[in-house]
């Protein structure tokens, strides 16, 4: 990755707080090598995490990450500042990662009816949704739950997966995540809601098989 290309320059240097994005942009436009290192220090790990989350493949994530920063360096003059630098990078990364997986997998229709909660005519849950936080042994299941959650994420189409990752893993505010994905806020909220419910349903299936309670951590 690009960090390896700059390792010789940064070796032995003390870790410093990256400069604000406006200074990073100015430095990149001026061809400052220090700005390149600062950009990578600030955004490389996040970008790789997002790419890996979408592609679910280490080699693909590496390629996406390299393509992202090549695009950033190549097109920095065209960055207009209408969004934050981070949001712009996330948009490039998301598009690159989605393009990568679209070339490998056919579209799969999610079995929403099987995993989304069912409601009565009065609007209440037909099947109670228990709270796993009351289970004293829940902490022992964290490793298994992470595995199940990873498998459930792989079932989500890339467009839904990207929304969940940006909001629930990277912690982007709703408006920034929508901007990064080129969606309206209502559209993003709809995808996020359905994606979360799908993940909750899959975790619920796991919990039922284990005789455990359904996780509270996945929002309704």
């Amino acid at each position: 990755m690009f960090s390896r290309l700059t390792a010789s320059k940064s070796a032995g240097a003390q870790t410093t707080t990256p400069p604000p994005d406006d200074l990073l942009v100015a430095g990149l436009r001026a061809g400052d090598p220090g700005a390149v290192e600062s950009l990578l220090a600030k955004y490389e790990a996040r970008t790789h995490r997002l790419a890996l989350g979408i592609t679910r493949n280490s080699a693909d994530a590496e390629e996406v990450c390299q393509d992202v920063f090549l695009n950033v360096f190549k097109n920095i003059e065209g960055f207009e500042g209408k969004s934050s630098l981070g949001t712009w990078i996330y948009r490039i990364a998301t598009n690159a990662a989605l393009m990568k997986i679209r070339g490998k997998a056919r579209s799969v229709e999610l079995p929403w009816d099987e995993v989304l909660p069912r409601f009565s005519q009065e609007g209440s849950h037909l099947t109670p949704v228990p709270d796993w936080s009351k289970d004293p042994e829940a902490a022992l299941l964290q490793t298994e739950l992470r595995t199940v959650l990873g498998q459930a994420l792989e079932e989500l189409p890339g467009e839904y997966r990207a929304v969940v990752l940006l909001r629930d893993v990277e912690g982007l505010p709703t408006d920034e995540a929508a901007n990064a994905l080129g969606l309206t806020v209502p559209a993003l909220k709809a995808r996020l809601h359905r994606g979360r419910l799908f993940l909750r349903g899959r975790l619920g299936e796991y919990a039922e098989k284990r005789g455990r309670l359904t996780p509270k951590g996945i929002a309704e």
Side-chain angles (χ1 to χ4, degrees):
M1 231 180 272
F2 283 95
S3 57
R4 300 188 189 117
L5 300 179
T6 58
S8 60
K9 296 181 181 179
S10 57
Q14 293 184 349
T15 301
T16 58
T17 302
D21 285 349
D22 57 341
L23 295 182
L24 273 180
V25 172
L28 291 171
R29 287 173 173 168
D32 178 9
V36 174
E37 293 185 30
S38 294
L39 180 78
L40 294 172
K42 188 171 185 178
Y43 290 110
E44 185 182 36
R46 303 183 202 178
T47 301
H48 184 269
R49 184 169 59 237
L50 176 62
L52 182 60
I54 295 175
T55 63
R56 313 300 294 174
N57 181 283
S58 296
D60 286 346
E62 287 276 348
E63 290 182 14
V64 167
C65 204
Q66 292 188 32
D67 289 344
V68 166
F69 288 104
L70 280 173
N71 273 295
V72 169
F73 301 145
K74 180 180 178 180
N75 298 303
I76 192 64
E77 291 292 343
F79 175 63
E80 299 178 351
K82 293 181 180 179
S83 63
S84 70
L85 179 62
T87 298
W88 184 56
I89 292 173
Y90 277 133
R91 171 176 281 190
I92 296 172
T94 300
N95 288 338
L98 290 176
M99 287 294 292
K100 179 71 70 175
I101 63 176
R102 281 171 187 154
K104 293 188 173 184
R106 60 185 178 86
S107 177
V108 177
E109 184 67 26
L110 286 177
W112 295 115
D113 293 340
E114 297 178 12
V115 296
L116 297 186
R118 290 178 295 171
F119 299 89
S120 67
Q121 292 183 348
E122 292 75 26
S124 59
H125 281 275
L126 288 175
T127 303
V129 181
D131 182 352
W132 81 330
S133 63
K134 297 176 182 178
D135 183 354
E137 299 182 14
L140 300 178
L141 303 178
Q142 290 303 311
T143 300
E144 288 184 30
L145 285 172
R146 280 193 291 269
T147 299
V148 173
L149 183 57
Q151 293 170 344
L153 278 170
E154 289 188 16
E155 290 186 64
L156 279 174
E159 291 80 2
Y160 285 85
R161 197 184 310 151
V163 170
V164 172
L165 290 170
L166 285 177
R167 284 289 288 113
D168 293 341
V169 177
E170 298 303 322
L172 263 65
T174 299
D175 57 342
E176 288 190 27
N179 192 331
L181 295 169
L183 298 172
T184 63
V185 168
L188 180 131
K189 287 183 175 179
R191 288 189 185 183
L192 179 63
H193 180 65
R194 300 202 94 186
R196 284 172 170 173
L197 287 176
F198 180 83
L199 296 179
R200 185 184 181 92
R202 285 292 184 249
L203 292 178
E205 292 175 1
Y206 159 79
E208 185 176 354
K209 291 177 182 178
R210 291 275 307 187
R212 302 289 182 177
L213 295 176
T214 303
K216 182 181 180 182
I218 300 297
E220 295 184 38

